[in-house]
Amino acid sequence: MAYDLSKGAPAPQPEPQVFKGYVATVTLYADRAEIKRKLMGKVTGAKDSVIPLGDVIKVQSKEPTRLVNGYVQLATEQDRGQLRIVTAEAQKAIANNSRTVLFTWNQRETYAAYLAAVTAGVQAQGGNPFG
């Protein structure tokens, strides 16, 4: 693909990346993440969402195991109180959060790829994904 590098031409945008999690699919753009949920994923109260990467204050994650699903959560100011609580209720709140995508053991490669891509995306937007 040829790009016009003359003055005033917009810089080429990277292609969006798509990651399929458990009952949700994330499309990661240079400036935002769009999470679309299947009907089963909406039963818990989580909704489809668009998260500007510049609004992310921390990328929380837990690697999937054979016994427990893992997750990647793009925590924003709305999640600040939950970042301090470490209990079973907090884990349930994370799983039901619209900015969280769950991953099964069989999706662990996708989990790792999404975590790396979204961490890099948050850093590119000037944020600190590690809080």
Side-chain angles (χ1 to χ4, degrees), residues 12-34:
Q13 294 294 317
E15 292 292 320
Q17 300 175 41
V18 178
F19 302 94
K20 187 170 176 12
Y22 179 66
V23 299
T25 300
V26 182
T27 304
L28 187 61
Y29 297 88
D31 63 338
R32 69 191 182 283
E34 294 182 1

Side-chain angles (χ1 to χ4, degrees), residues 9-124:
Q13 294 294 317
E15 292 292 320
Q17 300 175 41
V18 178
F19 302 94
K20 187 170 176 12
Y22 179 66
V23 299
T25 300
V26 182
T27 304
L28 187 61
Y29 297 88
D31 63 338
R32 69 191 182 283
E34 294 182 1
I35 301 173
K36 302 280 186 202
R37 300 190 184 282
K38 294 180 180 178
L39 179 60
M40 199 58 193
K42 294 179 182 180
V43 169
T44 62
K47 298 178 173 68
D48 293 345
S49 60
V50 176
I51 305 107
L53 296 180
D55 290 355
V56 175
I57 59 172
K58 185 174 185 180
V59 178
Q60 293 193 122
S61 64
K62 179 179 178 184
E63 192 168 349
T65 68
R66 290 185 189 274
L67 300 175
V68 180
N69 288 341
Y71 64 85
V72 175
Q73 180 188 27
L74 304 181
T76 64
E77 284 293 330
Q78 296 171 331
D79 304 304
R80 191 166 291 280
Q82 292 177 2
L83 295 178
R84 295 187 196 111
I85 303 169
V86 183
T87 65
E89 283 300 312
Q91 293 296 323
K92 184 177 177 183
I94 288 170
N96 296 340
N97 189 304
S98 296
R99 292 171 295 286
T100 301
V101 178
L102 299 175
F103 294 91
T104 65
W105 169 252
N106 292 331
Q107 296 171 321
R108 62 192 180 278
E109 290 178 11
T110 305
Y111 158 85
Y114 174 54
L115 180 59
V118 77
T119 299
V122 170
Q123 287 175 325

